[in-house]
Amino acid sequence: MLKPTIGLEVHVQLKTRSKMFCSCPVEFKAEPNTLVCPVCLGLPGSLPVLNRQAVEYTIAVALALHCEIQPFSQFHRKNYFYPDLPKGYQISQYDLPFSRNGYLIIETEEGEKRIGIQRVHMEEDTAKMIHGESISRTSGYSLIDFNRSGVPLLEIVSRPDISSPQEATLYLMELRSILRTLGVSTANMEEGALRCDVNISLERGTRTEIKNLNSFHSVRKALEYEIKRQEEVLKEKGQVIQETRHYDERAGVTLSMRTKEEAEDYRYFPEPDLVPLKIDPPWIEEVRSRMPELPEDKRKRYKELGLFPQEAATIANNPELANFFDSCLSLGAPGKEVANWLLSEVMKYLNARNLSIIEVPLSPEGLVEFLTVLKEGTISSKIGKMVIEEMLQTGDGAREIIERRGLAQISDPVLIKKWAEEVIKENPDQVSQYRQGKEQLFGFFVGKVMKLSGGKANPEILNRILKELLLRE
Ligand SMILES: [Zn+2]
């Protein structure tokens, strides 16, 4: 297989209260074209004013991605015509971006891998085009909602360090989890708060770009398709053309949109209505001091508790789950056991219902009590699965459920012995076969006694008593 080289360009909408250069609110469920003013409508004579909160959020993201924040950066006008861009240019950053040279770490099956970040810069979002239903391209119509015009955006450009569709997905997941942990964006791909363009080449040859991918699934599928397509072109001694392609989700193919435009085509020039941006080090330090623990550090801490890298990554990359996990730790529960139950039974329950851990009544205290009950031997882990499911449904305590449903494990040797004797008496053939050396029949007896106990006999005691009885005579 030819080696793919992949780079991602991600656009993230910041969750600020107002837009990038005006005081219109940022809100996604409002009536179309109600959150607008002369600035974000691009009316002549209006002047942009930079949103301080957006800058702080950008500082936080740049720090989380280990980027160098430039003491001096500048906004540029990127000129192009499109109906969703009333000014005829987008305010973006060009050769003096906000920050550069960072990285993030993904947890692959082969271990940690560092993906370089080329730059993180600020820009404004365009208006949103809504294309009306139509059979042919010519008879339809398009609507424009300017509520999105001027919403603060970050552009995060990776270096081409990604070498498979799988790694691209891991990169996006890690990035999403950083953004959510910082609380700077919902980073929800389905809502367009995180949008992804990918560029890909094989063996460092000519690359193509695929624009506007809006789900993890699309990113993976589009890359898989494009790798195969380029492979076939090269196999037939053809040439991959540098171009922008579109991923058709329904057909599962990428299609040529236009040949790639170069930076010169945009006639970038410094935005004359905004002064250059100077960031003082004390401001950076102030933002740094307020930053929460990042997924990368969480992962490290979890691995030190004995969790496997993939387990640590799954928990650390889900802020709600990580909070839950940390609460259990602070209650003194052993990390490995908490992780085992969270990542098996609890996740299975949540995934099947598409719920998050904060949407179910199970509390960290509840899970810790449950683990204590297990440790005391009141229930087996098999019964435990039933109990935890009921806890997830009702929020009741483990002890309460065990008592209500009579699930406590039976450890009374007299009672267990009585059942064992009964089983031995009723199955004389199997007993004599066992005694003649057919040891694999042991499981058969265990099953019978378990059944008599309603699944509640303590397995250790049961095994011991059964062995004694079978070996007798
Ligand atoms: Zn506005």
Side-chain angles (χ1 to χ4, degrees):
M1 203 182 99
L2 301 175
K3 190 175 168 283
T5 300
I6 299 166
L8 300 191
E9 191 177 304
V10 170
H11 288 97
V12 179
Q13 278 178 340
L14 294 177
K15 222 168 55 176
T16 48
R17 282 188 10 232
S18 56
K19 293 186 182 178
M20 191 67 160
F21 299 115
C22 63
S23 56
C24 294
V26 171
E27 203 198 296
F28 299 100
K29 287 181 181 129
E31 279 285 298
N33 298 313
T34 53
L35 309 174
V36 291
C37 73
V39 174
C40 54
L41 285 173
L43 301 188
S46 61
L47 289 172
V49 178
L50 181 59
N51 181 332
R52 184 184 168 90
Q53 182 70 70
V55 178
E56 279 202 2
Y57 282 174
T58 312
I59 294 176
V61 172
L63 288 174
L65 295 173
H66 311 278
C67 288
E68 299 157 7
I69 294 173
Q70 306 299 302
F72 179 93
S73 66
Q74 196 160 33
F75 287 98
H76 271 71
R77 290 187 179 181
K78 180 182 183 182
N79 298 283
Y80 66 98
F81 170 79
Y82 206 64
D84 63 9
L85 192 65
K87 294 199 294 283
Y89 60 86
Q90 178 191 30
I91 303 179
S92 180
Q93 294 193 297
Y94 180 50
D95 55 353
L96 292 167
F98 189 84
S99 60
R100 342 170 178 235
N101 295 333
Y103 64 85
L104 66 68
I105 293 172
I106 56 171
E107 194 74 58
T108 71
E109 271 161 27
E110 291 85 41
E112 288 187 350
K113 180 173 176 183
R114 201 182 260 223
I115 310 289
I117 304 284
Q118 200 180 325
R119 59 193 273 155
V120 176
H121 79 228
M122 281 181 273
E123 58 187 34
E124 57 178 343
D125 209 346
T126 59
K128 190 176 182 182
M129 304 265 289
I130 298 144
H131 303 288
E133 289 288 325
S134 73
I135 297 162
S136 76
R137 262 171 172 257
T138 46
S139 69
Y141 61 91
S142 291
L143 303 170
I144 307 179
D145 179 5
F146 287 93
N147 286 355
R148 201 180 74 176
S149 171
V151 166
L153 277 191
L154 288 188
E155 182 173 302
I156 301 170
V157 185
S158 87
R159 295 199 183 280
D161 295 341
I162 297 166
S163 39
S164 69
Q166 169 71 5
E167 283 185 13
T169 310
L170 289 172
Y171 172 90
L172 283 175
M173 280 168 69
E174 181 69 17
L175 186 59
R176 181 178 68 176
S177 127
I178 290 169
L179 295 164
R180 287 182 176 170
T181 303
L182 293 172
V184 300
S185 172
T186 63
N188 208 328
M189 283 193 95
E190 291 68 32
E191 292 167 3
L194 193 155
R195 311 194 281 268
C196 184
D197 303 341
V198 303
N199 54 65
I200 168 159
S201 63
L202 297 181
E203 300 293 324
R204 302 222 161 233
T206 308
R207 64 194 181 134
T208 58
E209 185 176 26
I210 311 165
K211 283 264 189 206
N212 285 326
L213 297 164
N214 54 14
S215 70
F216 285 86
H217 181 78
S218 296
V219 170
R220 209 187 64 234
K221 287 287 167 197
L223 282 172
E224 283 170 1
Y225 178 87
E226 189 60 15
I227 289 172
K228 217 183 283 164
R229 188 190 71 85
Q230 291 190 14
E231 257 173 357
E232 273 160 29
V233 171
L234 295 173
K235 219 168 28 188
E236 285 159 25
K237 304 269 177 262
Q239 257 187 337
V240 175
I241 301 162
Q242 184 175 346
E243 62 185 352
T244 301
R245 298 179 71 85
H246 159 75
Y247 177 62
D248 183 330
E249 226 162 296
R250 258 181 258 175
V253 299
T254 65
L255 303 166
S256 179
M257 266 165 78
R258 56 175 186 259
T259 51
K260 174 75 183 156
E261 56 289 280
E262 299 294 334
E264 301 89 81
D265 297 331
Y266 290 118
R267 293 290 182 265
Y268 280 99
F269 68 85
E271 166 60 68
D273 292 337
L274 287 165
V275 293
L277 185 58
K278 276 171 96 173
I279 307 288
D280 294 331
W283 193 13
I284 299 177
E285 289 320 307
E286 193 202 314
V287 173
R288 195 198 301 274
S289 71
R290 279 186 274 126
M291 276 166 56
E293 185 186 29
L294 292 165
E296 183 188 331
D297 302 315
K298 277 205 171 83
R299 250 189 344 251
K300 199 167 151 225
R301 185 158 59 81
Y302 295 164
K303 282 196 268 185
E304 283 163 6
L305 293 172
L307 271 63
F308 293 123
Q310 301 292 333
E311 295 176 329
T314 307
I315 298 176
N317 282 343
N318 179 334
E320 289 158 354
L321 198 62
N323 276 343
F324 190 98
F325 182 73
D326 284 337
S327 302
C328 293
L329 294 183
S330 66
L331 291 165
K336 185 74 183 163
E337 278 170 46
V338 176
N340 285 348
W341 284 93
L342 276 185
L343 295 177
S344 58
E345 298 310 308
V346 175
M347 282 312 273
K348 205 161 51 176
Y349 181 92
L350 297 177
N351 289 342
R353 291 159 184 80
N354 204 11
L355 290 171
S356 116
I357 188 84
I358 54 166
E359 293 171 299
V360 290
L362 178 72
S363 65
E365 290 77 11
L367 185 64
V368 174
E369 186 204 4
F370 169 79
L371 291 174
T372 310
V373 170
L374 265 185
K375 202 172 167 206
E376 289 167 356
T378 314
I379 51 169
S380 64
S381 50
K382 201 172 156 198
I383 298 283
K385 290 182 186 180
M386 282 166 58
V387 173
I388 199 134
E389 186 168 345
E390 196 160 332
M391 291 172 75
L392 282 159
Q393 269 164 14
T394 63
D396 292 342
R399 291 186 204 281
E400 199 182 333
I401 294 168
I402 291 164
E403 189 168 337
R404 183 169 69 221
R405 301 193 37 193
L407 294 172
Q409 187 160 272
I410 296 165
S411 301
D412 177 0
V414 178
L415 195 54
I416 295 176
K417 192 173 172 195
K418 203 189 95 204
W419 288 324
E421 282 170 343
E422 200 177 318
V423 168
I424 286 174
K425 205 170 99 197
E426 278 171 9
N427 299 283
D429 292 350
Q430 283 85 348
V431 172
S432 66
Q433 283 174 34
Y434 179 84
R435 286 179 177 156
Q436 282 158 27
K438 203 172 171 190
E439 283 184 14
Q440 62 269 41
L441 275 173
F442 191 70
F444 163 82
F445 297 111
V446 171
K448 289 275 181 196
V449 179
M450 252 320 171
K451 205 169 164 199
L452 279 180
S453 77
K456 291 187 288 184
N458 178 319
E460 262 170 59
I461 300 174
L462 162 62
N463 281 359
R464 184 169 52 77
I465 290 176
L466 201 51
K467 261 194 192 123
E468 276 169 22
L469 290 175
L470 285 168
L471 290 175
R472 201 177 285 172
E473 287 161 50

